[in-house]
Amino acid sequence: MASKTIDTPNARRLAEAAAIRGAAIIGQPGGWSVMLKIGMQETPLGTQRTDKPRSWSSLDTCMQYLRDELGIVRIDGIDASNYSAPTVYSKRRADAAERMKRAHEAAAHDAWFREQVQASIEDQRPSIPHDEARASFADRKAALRKRAK
């Protein structure tokens, strides 16, 4: 494959402008990649931040991506001559569900806390003057010390 690829945002713009003349799905070791016909040139669909061809481990997800992201529903051909199933499977972390649960709980607590602070800021009731609050707590502190003795 050529080293120059096209990323999804640019491919989407070309598809909207009807500049993509065709698409083919090519089997690779470990997955599937897409070749787009742009003008007289075939260009691989690449990842966004690198100049490497994008690949999918499943033909279904590749086709779904083309349909949903680029609006391509017709494929010129599928070449599976170099395809081989992925041999390396990513290991799922056992703690991923727990980590996500904690993240959602933290986000919910943060939202609740921000609501409480905003409600306090918007509260129209009169606040207690500082001197009065200090005197009240000094009385409580003295009573606790007296009980502790």
Side-chain angles (χ1 to χ4, degrees):
M1 284 192 164
S3 64
K4 185 71 177 152
T5 63
I6 184 167
D7 62 357
T8 299
N10 288 325
R12 190 178 299 127
R13 286 187 209 102
L14 289 170
E16 289 170 359
I20 297 177
R21 293 182 43 228
I25 299 176
I26 310 295
Q28 307 262 326
W32 302 93
S33 65
V34 175
M35 292 293 284
L36 299 174
K37 290 181 186 174
I38 303 167
M40 298 301 290
Q41 190 174 8
E42 286 190 342
T43 307
L45 183 62
T47 59
Q48 198 160 354
R49 291 184 178 86
T50 65
D51 199 28
K52 294 180 182 176
R54 184 169 184 160
S55 65
W56 292 263
S57 58
S58 164
L59 187 58
D60 292 333
T61 56
C62 178
M63 192 61 225
Q64 182 180 1
Y65 183 85
L66 289 174
R67 185 186 65 223
D68 296 346
E69 294 295 321
L70 302 179
I72 296 174
V73 294
R74 186 172 178 185
I75 302 300
D76 294 337
I78 298 175
D79 178 5
S81 58
N82 291 326
Y83 174 75
S84 63
T87 56
V88 178
Y89 292 99
S90 62
K91 294 181 181 177
R92 295 187 185 265
R93 291 184 52 169
D95 65 337
E98 187 62 34
R99 187 180 68 241
M100 289 303 294
K101 182 179 176 184
R102 284 194 309 267
H104 286 288
E105 287 172 353
H109 180 269
D110 185 57
W112 170 82
F113 183 74
R114 290 177 186 277
E115 287 174 11
Q116 296 298 312
V117 169
Q118 189 61 37
S120 178
I121 290 170
E122 295 171 354
D123 192 0
Q124 297 297 319
R125 293 180 288 176
S127 60
I128 300 171
H130 180 68
D131 294 336
E132 216 176 288
R134 284 188 68 137
S136 173
F137 279 106
D139 292 343
R140 285 184 187 177
K141 190 176 176 181
L144 285 171
R145 284 187 176 158
K146 191 175 187 180
R147 267 198 301 183
K149 288 184 179 180

